[in-house]
């Protein structure tokens, strides 16, 4: 990442913020953080500015499901790589709000991938192990997001999908829930 421009969606979340920390430690040319959570975005921006004062850092408060803000962020940042971690990842919440989960996980992924493709960026979708054999709305929406992403592939745009399992310490993870039960 040295000298390159990187955009991370969902940067205020547990996975996106850890990606941001890791990328920042590699001396990128510029790092752009994007999230719809004002508090999450504020927190990671403040942390990275304190830990990496020399880093060229921008924060974008935006909704990944809206084309104009995604295009604007890519136009401003000109990313070489886009890590798309923004998603609704909580199984029970997605079951209660399936249309919201589909909007963010599928439409949001499509909009971010389209913006990355339009600006010639490498695109990495952070997906879920729940997409392997979906038994929930969340898993199904993440699988559909993967299908949409990979369907955009061309000789000039080769998106990548990475599936994460339960991430220790991530918000709402099964590990956190088990720790609370043990306490």
């Amino acid at each position: 990442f040295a000298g390159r421009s990187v955009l991370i969606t969902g940067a205020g979340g547990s996975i996106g913020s850890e990606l941001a920390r890791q990328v920042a430690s590699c001396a990128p040319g510029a790092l752009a953080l994007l999230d719809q959570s004002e508090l999450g975005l504020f927190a990671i921006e403040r942390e990275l500015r304190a830990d990496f004062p020399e880093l060229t850092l921008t924060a974008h408060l935006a909704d990944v499901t809206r084309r104009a803000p995604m295009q604007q962020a890519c136009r401003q940042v000109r990313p070489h790589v886009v890590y798309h971690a923004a998603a609704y990842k909580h199984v029970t919440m997605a079951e209660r709000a399936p249309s919201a989960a589909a909007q963010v996980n599928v439409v949001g992924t499509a909009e971010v991938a389209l913006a990355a493709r339009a600006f010639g960026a490498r695109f990495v979708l952070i997906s879920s192990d729940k997409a392997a054999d979906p038994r929930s709305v969340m898993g199904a929406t993440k699988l559909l997001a993967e299908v949409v992403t990979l369907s955009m592939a061309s000789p000039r745009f080769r998106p990548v999908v990475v599936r994460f399992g339960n991430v220790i310490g991530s918000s709402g993870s099964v590990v956190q829930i088990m720790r609370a039960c043990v306490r």
Side-chain angles (χ1 to χ4, degrees):
F1 298 109
R4 306 199 74 164
S5 178
V6 179
L7 170 64
I8 299 172
T9 71
S14 49
I15 293 170
S17 63
E18 185 56 31
L19 280 169
R21 288 181 197 98
Q22 295 297 320
V23 170
S25 72
C26 296
L31 177 57
L33 312 171
L34 189 142
D35 206 296
Q36 70 174 351
S37 166
E38 180 186 32
L39 180 59
L41 186 61
F42 173 79
I44 189 63
E45 179 187 21
R46 189 165 184 239
E47 176 187 330
L48 294 179
R49 287 197 188 284
D51 292 347
F52 304 93
E54 74 292 344
L55 178 64
T56 300
L57 183 67
T58 57
H60 304 263
L61 187 62
D63 178 350
V64 295
T65 68
R66 298 189 54 232
R67 181 164 296 170
M70 292 314 309
Q71 296 284 329
Q72 180 181 359
C74 283
R75 190 175 304 108
Q76 180 182 347
V77 173
R78 297 282 179 192
H80 293 98
V81 182
V82 174
Y83 280 97
H84 179 49
Y88 286 164
K89 300 177 179 92
H90 300 285
V91 173
T92 55
M93 297 301 285
E95 292 296 323
R96 287 186 227 148
S99 62
Q103 181 73 14
V104 170
N105 293 354
V106 181
V107 175
T109 296
E111 291 300 340
V112 177
L114 286 168
R117 184 176 71 179
F119 289 89
R122 181 83 192 236
F123 180 77
V124 180
L125 169 62
I126 307 300
S127 189
S128 168
D129 62 340
K130 311 284 187 295
D133 184 19
R135 296 177 187 274
S136 66
V137 169
M138 193 281 281
T141 61
K142 292 302 282 183
L143 177 59
L144 191 51
E146 291 179 6
V147 170
V148 166
T149 296
L150 296 174
S151 74
M152 293 183 188
S154 69
R156 297 188 63 199
F157 184 68
R158 295 176 305 174
V160 175
V161 173
V162 178
R163 288 181 177 162
F164 282 21
N166 287 315
V167 177
I168 295 174
S170 66
S171 64
S173 76
V174 70
V175 175
Q176 273 189 336
I177 293 167
M178 284 188 231
R179 277 190 194 144
C181 287
V182 169
R183 271 193 299 260

